[in-house]
Amino acid sequence: MGTYRQTVVDLEASAQEASAQGGRVRGWLEAEGFIRPVPWRGAVVHLAGPRWRDAVDLAPWDRRARNEETEEEPCGEVEVVVGRTIFFSGLCAAPAAICPNCRNADPVWPGEAVDAWTATGAADLGCAACTHRAPLPRWEWTDDSLAFAHLGFEFDDWPTLHPDFTAALGRTLGHRIRVFERKI
């Protein structure tokens, strides 16, 4: 069975600003009614709020949820992930790194740079084609399959997030974002 997870990743938040930025945007999600805080086991989780339908594409969702008269809503929580994280779209072959300078895709897995970033939060990667070096988080990946970042918003078992909603979330963050979908 598993969980269907969608993650909106802030591609530009620094390690120093991720916690404050995550709290600010969680506050926006609550204020807009997309999520609501719910006490659970001595903590607080965030579940679908009264305006959750405005954040998703209901067309493929359960037919009962398309009817505004029902209380059907996503059952999973929304979690703000703060800290050095490798976000990914799911199990697939190793993606190729795409140079931010010349757009060359290098199929050689940059294991040393990934290990360094995981351990320290800083690593540069050099392009084999143009020799440009850039921090690992600035690189893109084939199939938009990876992001090295410090802030993400995980929506578990929600219908597909609507592009207008993710664009609004990106504007609220004030940074570039990437959206991942995967089954865990």
Side-chain angles (χ1 to χ4, degrees):
M1 197 143 151
T3 299
Y4 171 63
R5 174 171 291 162
Q6 298 169 90
T7 306
V8 179
V9 178
D10 183 327
L11 297 172
E12 298 173 353
S14 69
Q16 296 75 24
E17 71 181 339
S19 182
Q21 182 86 323
R24 182 181 66 77
V25 174
R26 182 181 53 234
W28 174 80
L29 289 167
E30 287 179 29
E32 292 295 318
F34 297 122
I35 63 173
R36 70 182 192 282
V38 177
W40 189 69
R41 295 186 178 182
V44 174
V45 297
H46 291 84
L47 301 178
R51 288 191 53 220
W52 71 269
R53 285 177 177 84
D54 294 338
V56 301
D57 179 6
L58 286 175
W61 184 248
D62 187 287
R63 66 179 169 76
R64 293 169 294 170
R66 284 185 245 145
N67 180 350
E68 294 288 334
E69 309 300 318
T70 67
E71 295 301 316
E72 185 78 17
E73 65 181 37
C75 60
E77 69 178 288
V78 176
E79 184 177 351
V80 179
V81 178
V82 174
R84 186 172 45 244
T85 306
I86 301 173
F87 295 97
F88 60 97
S89 62
L91 300 175
C92 59
I98 301 171
C99 176
N101 185 54
C102 72
R103 309 298 300 159
N104 179 64
D106 187 349
V108 177
W109 179 248
E112 288 183 26
V114 171
D115 291 346
W117 190 87
T118 301
T120 68
D124 284 348
L125 186 58
C127 178
C130 73
T131 69
H132 178 78
R133 292 192 71 75
L136 189 59
R138 290 204 42 233
W139 287 69
E140 293 182 22
W141 303 86
T142 52
D143 300 326
D144 275 339
S145 55
L146 285 176
F148 295 81
H150 299 278
L151 178 61
F153 299 84
E154 293 179 339
F155 294 77
D156 285 350
D157 288 331
W158 277 50
T160 301
L161 298 175
H162 196 282
D164 292 343
F165 169 73
T166 57
L169 194 114
R171 285 189 301 275
T172 302
L173 286 163
H175 293 152
R176 292 179 307 117
I177 62 167
R178 184 167 297 141
V179 180
F180 293 109
E181 300 175 5
R182 69 185 179 119
K183 186 116 172 159
I184 58 172

